[in-house]
Amino acid sequence: MEDNILKKACSVLVLLIFCFTYINVFEFEIISKNTAYAENIDCEEEDTNLIDIKVRDGLYDPKIYDKYVSAQNEEDLFLKDYYSPRYFDELNNNFGNNTKGSCGYVATGMLLSFWDTYWDDSIIEENYDVRTKLSKSYIDFPVEAPGVAPEPFSIAYADDETYYQNIFNTQEQYFQFLLMSMGNDLYGIEQGDYGLASSNMLALFKHYLFEYRNFSKNDVEITSTSLNVRNKAIRLIKQGIPVILFIQRDGGAHAVIAYDYDEATDNIYCHFGWGANTTHVTFESMGYTKCYYLFALNFKNNHNHSNNFYHDTEGYNENKCICSTVIPSAMECDGNYLDTLPTYKWNSLIKEKWFKNIKLYHEFQILDSYRHSIYKVSHLFDSKYTLTAEEWKKIIDMAGSNYYVYIGLASDVDPYWDDYYYSELFSEPTEYAFKTQVKPNQWGFEGRYWFENEGIRTSTLSIGDLNISTRRLRCGYIENSYIILSPRRENAGEAYFEMNFDKKVYAFLYSVCLWSNSENLDGIAIIEVKDANGNWSQLVDIKTSNQLKNKSDGLNRYVMQCPNGIYGIRFKCTATATGTRNKGRLCIDDLVFCTNPNNTQFITTGYVKTK
């Protein structure tokens, strides 16, 4: 009886623990998905049971040097909404030399120099800073990351350990030597042993931030933990907070900056502090098997503009703080085609913590060629936007041949941001990405009309995923403009343009008009299609179903769906066979064929053809 009561009590306790855990996890997920800005995870000291394996891998070790020489960077960043991946990816030279196993000090300096550039320029004294000169009046990417000046090679590679020990203890003109001299005062550095244990790194961070630079614990929090290191690192990196990882290999340990993460492959990318060819590599690819300790900083004080970037204008240095990268710039468009939905992307680090308190956001607008707004989205907390099919059709119907994309800044708290914007001109698309499009000039037709007694003209064309054979009568490519049928002429009376396909076509788009207002097309104008058995049948009467404008007024695009698939299309016109001039002229512009039964939708627009 007592055993049953005890079992039930244990079960209830386990259930309560599970429910409490689930509720907390669920609450975190809701916050993550519904807040406009990613919530930075508070950094805090979590683990005092430090693992005191010294990190001391450096270029003095021939095995490490071989790894450094053979290393290959991953080229593309995966987290592009935050500055930290861009900073460390372009930090090629401005950090301490790790020629004597001083990787812990190198990593400490790199992390502090990031926050000095990113958040508060008082973190590192100006005399240690390296400033980056910009070629333009704004901070573009990629650009060399500022940091701290490395020690000269003559000192870094000195063989005399007594000389080296004396240099970093007495001459603090380089930031790494300042950190090492602090370390020597705090816990002692034995000659020739410049490795750093996790307990020592924590002591160094505390001393530097709270005593040397006089920050309070309300200004900055430190994370130092050996608990769930990899997952903790990923959570921080994904929210723009770089971390120092202590990593192990067979026979050694190293300190790196982890700053980028690929969700698809679950890879963490690191800066190894050895040189430019190890700025975006995984620790596994460099022979390390696990990460066992983590350090991170999170500054809570107010943002203090950095002058680590500058633009030289006629001898005057104009300081540029990295927070100015919230101003939109450098737009590109993925999918500016009629059969794909466009995604507009621009440079703007809108998700950063700089402007979180004033709830800064983007306003996305499409403007016509006269800069009148025809579409607007507000409160956009992202640096990209994809139009829906309905939005895309509305825009290209209303915009004309050109349109502008406008990205502005706005805030519901601070009203003075509307001076900052970016706009770029785009052309209305006329082409297709995933369908086979044939323009009039691609058929290779002559610029004349052939009579029947001159022979039926034939040709073949391979384009996209289609092989097309053609037959035509009184049909040519006229004035480098359209494919034109002309049946109204003495000794004529009929014209056609026939296409035969080597595979099924499930939908097609065509554009038609009359050459002028006086064509006298008094017969038929139809489209016929061919089935799998070679039988032709009428699909549509162009004269009654389509609005036939003349070419100066533009063409209309029409889409025909053929769910069972067709193997041929024939445009056919008839008219009274009279006159000495070519009349009854029906113009055919681009033809677009869809051979994929699962992708038969088109966005159709009216348009005026421009040569």
Side-chain angles (χ1 to χ4, degrees):
M1 182 67 176
E2 290 180 355
D3 288 344
N4 289 335
I5 293 174
L6 182 59
K7 288 179 181 179
K8 288 182 180 180
C10 291
S11 298
V12 170
L13 179 60
V14 169
L15 181 60
L16 287 172
I17 292 172
F18 171 81
C19 291
F20 177 80
T21 303
Y22 177 81
I23 289 169
N24 276 278
V25 170
F26 180 76
E27 181 180 341
F28 173 78
E29 289 296 325
I30 291 295
I31 290 173
S32 297
K33 292 176 181 177
N34 288 289
T35 48
Y37 292 86
E39 294 290 337
N40 287 326
I41 302 171
D42 288 341
C43 298
E44 57 188 11
E45 294 180 28
E46 294 184 356
D47 186 13
T48 56
N49 183 25
L50 301 180
I51 301 175
D52 272 359
I53 301 172
K54 278 191 177 181
V55 288
R56 53 162 62 95
D57 282 355
L59 297 181
Y60 70 97
D61 185 332
K63 291 182 179 179
I64 297 300
Y65 186 77
D66 288 343
K67 289 180 182 294
Y68 165 70
V69 170
S70 62
Q72 292 186 346
N73 291 6
E74 289 277 349
E75 293 185 0
D76 294 329
L77 293 177
F78 298 97
L79 301 177
K80 297 183 179 180
D81 291 330
Y82 296 102
Y83 177 57
S84 55
R86 299 172 188 259
Y87 178 88
F88 288 106
D89 205 51
E90 298 300 328
L91 185 63
N92 298 317
N93 304 293
N94 300 328
F95 50 90
N97 278 303
N98 181 12
T99 57
K100 299 184 181 301
S102 56
C103 59
Y105 295 100
V106 174
T108 301
M110 290 165 68
L111 190 63
L112 289 170
S113 66
F114 163 76
W115 283 100
D116 181 75
T117 298
Y118 173 79
W119 189 252
D120 187 337
D121 202 22
S122 68
I123 293 171
I124 293 178
E125 294 162 287
E126 295 296 290
N127 58 295
Y128 296 117
D129 285 345
V130 171
R131 303 181 71 206
T132 294
K133 182 178 179 179
L134 301 169
S135 60
K136 302 176 182 178
S137 60
Y138 59 88
I139 299 174
D140 54 348
F141 300 107
V143 61
E144 173 70 28
V148 294
E151 321 87 83
F153 286 154
S154 58
I155 299 176
Y157 285 92
D159 292 330
D160 188 335
E161 296 296 345
T162 302
Y163 165 77
Y164 187 78
Q165 186 98 358
N166 181 64
I167 286 287
F168 79 71
N169 269 321
T170 60
Q171 299 182 30
E172 297 174 356
Q173 67 268 43
Y174 299 102
F175 189 63
Q176 178 155 300
F177 285 171
L178 171 68
L179 295 177
M180 293 176 72
S181 65
M182 286 182 179
N184 193 41
D185 292 339
L186 289 170
Y187 40 75
I189 296 178
E190 295 182 14
Q191 185 170 305
D193 182 4
Y194 309 106
L196 194 62
S198 52
S199 59
N200 293 340
M201 179 175 281
L202 179 58
L204 181 60
F205 269 124
K206 287 182 174 181
H207 174 76
Y208 181 87
L209 292 168
F210 302 139
E211 298 178 35
Y212 181 72
R213 299 306 294 160
N214 296 318
F215 288 99
S216 73
K217 291 187 178 181
N218 292 326
D219 293 329
V220 58
E221 293 174 335
I222 304 172
T223 286
S224 59
T225 183
S226 63
L227 304 174
N228 202 18
V229 171
R230 194 176 193 281
N231 289 339
K232 180 76 171 181
I234 290 170
R235 290 171 65 196
L236 291 168
I237 292 167
K238 286 172 67 176
Q239 297 189 8
I241 299 179
V243 303
I244 294 177
L245 286 183
F246 278 28
I247 56 178
Q248 277 185 294
R249 63 179 176 88
D250 184 18
H254 188 41
V256 298
I257 302 287
Y259 64 90
D260 195 17
Y261 176 68
D262 182 3
E263 193 95 43
T265 61
D266 194 34
N267 281 333
I268 297 174
Y269 290 91
C270 306
H271 191 309
F272 266 62
W274 293 337
N277 65 326
T278 52
T279 58
H280 196 244
V281 293
T282 65
F283 61 81
E284 294 92 346
S285 70
M286 298 297 290
Y288 291 82
T289 56
K290 70 174 182 178
C291 48
Y292 66 90
Y293 218 90
L294 173 151
F295 288 89
L297 304 177
N298 190 23
F299 281 81
K300 298 287 194 176
N301 58 331
N302 292 328
H303 174 54
N304 179 14
H305 289 305
S306 171
N307 64 0
N308 291 347
F309 290 93
Y310 71 97
H311 178 64
D312 196 330
T313 306
E314 298 179 352
Y316 173 73
N317 288 344
E318 183 182 4
N319 295 330
K320 298 290 181 180
C321 180
I322 196 63
C323 69
S324 66
T325 53
V326 72
I327 300 172
S329 65
M331 185 181 298
E332 62 182 36
C333 177
D334 291 342
N336 196 37
Y337 295 93
L338 279 165
D339 61 344
T340 61
L341 299 177
T343 297
Y344 301 95
K345 301 176 181 178
W346 55 94
N347 282 339
S348 175
L349 301 183
I350 194 72
K351 294 184 178 180
E352 300 283 7
K353 60 185 282 185
W354 294 309
F355 301 104
K356 183 177 176 182
N357 292 336
I358 61 170
K359 296 181 171 59
L360 200 66
Y361 57 83
H362 284 137
E363 289 188 334
F364 174 93
Q365 293 192 64
I366 301 290
L367 315 177
D368 65 16
S369 56
Y370 299 101
R371 296 186 180 270
H372 299 142
S373 179
I374 58 178
Y375 181 75
K376 181 178 180 179
V377 177
S378 189
H379 291 84
L380 180 63
F381 298 94
D382 206 344
S383 55
K384 63 181 178 181
Y385 187 77
T386 301
L387 294 169
T388 67
E390 293 76 16
E391 293 166 348
W392 187 213
K393 185 180 188 317
K394 174 185 175 182
I395 286 163
I396 56 181
D397 275 344
M398 296 179 64
S401 57
N402 297 300
Y403 65 94
Y404 290 89
V405 177
Y406 170 97
I407 310 296
L409 288 174
S411 167
D412 294 333
V413 178
D414 186 340
Y416 301 107
W417 285 96
D418 54 0
D419 288 340
Y420 299 100
Y421 68 91
Y422 179 83
S423 67
E424 189 160 322
L425 181 66
F426 291 89
S427 296
E428 175 189 315
T430 58
E431 298 185 355
Y432 295 80
F434 300 115
K435 298 177 175 66
T436 299
Q437 181 173 4
V438 188
K439 299 177 181 296
N441 65 319
Q442 293 177 295
W443 293 104
F445 295 170
E446 301 91 337
R448 60 161 294 187
Y449 305 105
W450 298 88
F451 289 94
E452 189 170 9
N453 62 359
E454 295 177 293
I456 304 300
R457 316 309 293 179
T458 62
S459 65
T460 59
L461 175 69
S462 294
I463 188 167
D465 62 349
L466 271 180
N467 294 314
I468 308 172
S469 62
T470 73
R471 299 176 75 250
R472 68 188 193 278
L473 173 68
R474 295 287 300 167
C475 173
Y477 176 47
I478 306 302
E479 293 189 9
N480 298 319
S481 180
Y482 301 111
I483 301 299
I484 299 181
L485 306 181
S486 178
R488 190 177 180 86
R489 177 73 186 265
E490 186 179 356
N491 298 321
E494 182 182 19
Y496 62 81
F497 172 28
E498 178 182 309
M499 295 153 277
N500 297 278
F501 312 124
D502 66 336
K503 63 175 63 174
K504 285 184 177 182
V505 168
Y506 293 93
F508 66 95
L509 175 146
Y510 65 95
S511 308
V512 291
C513 70
L514 294 173
W515 183 265
S516 71
N517 287 328
S518 58
E519 292 306 315
N520 296 317
L521 185 59
D522 56 2
I524 64 170
I526 62 174
I527 297 176
E528 298 176 315
V529 293
K530 184 173 71 172
D531 63 20
N533 298 317
N535 300 315
W536 290 91
S537 60
Q538 181 175 318
L539 180 66
V540 63
D541 185 329
I542 296 175
K543 288 180 66 175
T544 61
S545 299
N546 297 164
Q547 180 185 357
L548 286 177
K549 303 176 182 178
N550 66 65
K551 64 182 177 65
S552 62
D553 294 328
L555 293 82
N556 286 337
R557 288 185 169 121
Y558 299 97
V559 173
M560 303 305 300
Q561 299 288 338
C562 308
N564 296 324
I566 58 172
Y567 282 89
I569 299 171
R570 182 160 62 205
F571 288 84
K572 183 177 179 180
C573 296
T574 63
T576 303
T578 184
T580 59
R581 296 180 60 190
N582 300 312
K583 286 290 186 176
R585 290 166 293 184
L586 180 73
C587 308
I588 305 169
D589 198 22
D590 296 359
L591 293 168
V592 186
F593 309 105
C594 176
T595 58
N596 182 351
N598 300 314
N599 184 25
T600 62
Q601 298 303 309
F602 290 81
I603 294 176
T604 60
T605 64
Y607 68 103
V608 176
K609 185 183 180 77
T610 56
K611 293 185 180 180

